[in-house]
Amino acid sequence: MGESGGGPVRRAEGAPFVSRSAELALLDAALKHMGAGGPAVVEVAGEAGIGKSRLLAEFGALARRRGAAVLRGRATEYERHSPFGPFTDAFADADSRMLKVFPALREVPPPVRGTGGPDGPWRGDRFGLHRATAHALRGIRGARLVVVLDDLHWADPASLELVDHLVRHPVPAPFLLVVAHRDRQAPVALSAALSRRADTGAVTRVALGPLSERACVEELAPDLPVPRAAEMYAASEGNPLYFLALLQAHRPPRLPGTSGFPAGGRPPPRTAPRPRAAATRRWTAVPCPRAVTAR
């Protein structure tokens, strides 16, 4: 474990998790104080590719290590017509073992859990459905539950209304709702709901900005000469997804079961000479980073 940008570096699957210790600490603080006067909702915001989903994955792993249960769902661009899409995606992972720990989840209305249609006592009464959902979540006792909803810039209207209700009426239970979205694409209703309660402490906002040049150059590209890695950083503007895309395009294809580095599995010294013409060809072949599709 090293240090980068003032925070710990951990290597999970793929690239290391770098330079987000402050943001992870905010989420951890919300976890520690959930149901005890802490924020009821955490908002994670930033541009496409900035690392929101990666931060949520790291937080989910941290929450589980601390004994909390975590349900994760996400909205998708092509399913905005499906009511409560991210909620039903999250509750789909509530298996029989989790329901034994959280029997109150059985009382969450079927349309929200994705186990039934709109028929029932809430038919035509969406506000009653919101109240019933909040009432069920208030029944959580003992163990802690975290529900993480990603990509809410693509959320359906029903989900946005339910998030708004849970923001305006915080659940007095060991329950934490974490929502993530792209800043510039967030629906007005979502931004308004979250900003209204941020001043009261009910919502904690975690804004993700670009990574530092040190984090990208030293931690994500330790095998490249510093000037070359710095050029990639400048082109990516500190966006980790774009930086990694440039890095992948620059490196030769790796063989299965290898580290991607030269023989011996270690990165070459930063002063190792490179044929100038070959390096130029690799660099000019790198696609424009903004053309990369990102979440």
Side-chain angles (χ1 to χ4, degrees):
M1 184 176 291
E3 295 289 328
S4 175
V9 178
R10 292 196 304 279
R11 187 176 293 274
E13 293 185 7
F17 180 66
V18 300
S19 198
R20 296 296 191 204
S21 60
E23 293 86 349
L24 188 60
L26 288 173
L27 287 160
D28 191 23
L31 177 69
K32 291 178 180 177
H33 296 97
M34 61 191 292
V41 180
V42 178
E43 172 193 11
V44 178
E47 68 177 31
I50 205 66
K52 300 181 295 297
S53 296
R54 178 62 186 274
L55 176 64
L56 295 180
E58 294 290 337
F59 171 63
L62 175 64
R64 291 186 182 95
R65 290 197 299 271
R66 299 201 187 286
V70 180
L71 294 174
R72 289 192 63 182
R74 74 183 334 139
T76 58
E77 185 175 8
Y78 302 106
E79 295 183 1
R80 298 182 185 181
H81 63 282
S82 301
F84 305 108
F87 283 95
T88 61
D89 188 32
F91 285 118
D93 289 333
D95 56 18
S96 58
R97 291 176 298 176
M98 182 171 288
L99 292 176
K100 288 181 180 179
V101 178
F102 302 101
L105 294 183
R106 300 182 187 274
E107 303 303 318
V108 173
V112 179
R113 286 189 288 128
T115 58
D119 294 331
W122 310 280
R123 183 177 178 84
D125 181 12
R126 65 183 191 275
F127 300 114
L129 187 146
H130 300 162
R131 291 191 295 269
T133 301
H135 178 76
L137 295 175
R138 281 197 293 271
I140 295 175
R141 295 289 184 270
R144 297 177 295 172
L145 177 65
V146 179
V147 173
V148 179
L149 304 179
D150 200 359
D151 291 336
L152 284 198
H153 47 276
W154 286 325
D156 58 274
S159 292
L160 295 177
E161 285 190 346
L162 181 53
V163 168
D164 177 76
H165 183 88
L166 295 175
V167 168
R168 288 185 294 109
H169 304 281
V171 176
F175 170 78
L176 181 66
L177 178 65
V178 182
V179 299
H181 63 87
R182 296 178 186 172
D183 259 334
R184 297 180 183 179
Q185 293 177 248
V188 174
L190 177 64
S191 299
L194 294 170
S195 62
R196 279 197 304 265
R197 300 295 293 177
D199 294 338
T200 68
V203 176
T204 291
R205 178 177 170 86
V206 179
L208 298 187
L211 292 181
S212 68
E213 182 172 352
R214 177 185 175 188
C216 286
V217 172
E218 295 187 5
E219 302 296 344
L220 298 181
D223 56 315
L224 293 187
V226 172
R228 178 64 70 201
E231 287 179 342
M232 292 183 178
Y233 175 81
S236 71
E237 300 179 355
N239 184 296
L241 181 68
Y242 300 148
F243 182 82
L244 291 171
L246 289 169
L247 195 62
Q248 183 178 11
H250 176 83
R251 286 173 173 158
R254 66 175 62 184
L255 297 175
T258 66
S259 65
F261 295 134
R266 297 177 179 274
R270 289 191 180 275
T271 56
R274 291 178 177 269
R276 185 171 184 178
T280 301
R281 285 195 298 272
R282 291 194 191 98
W283 181 249
T284 56
V286 173
C288 174
R290 293 297 177 188
V292 178
T293 301
R295 291 196 173 203

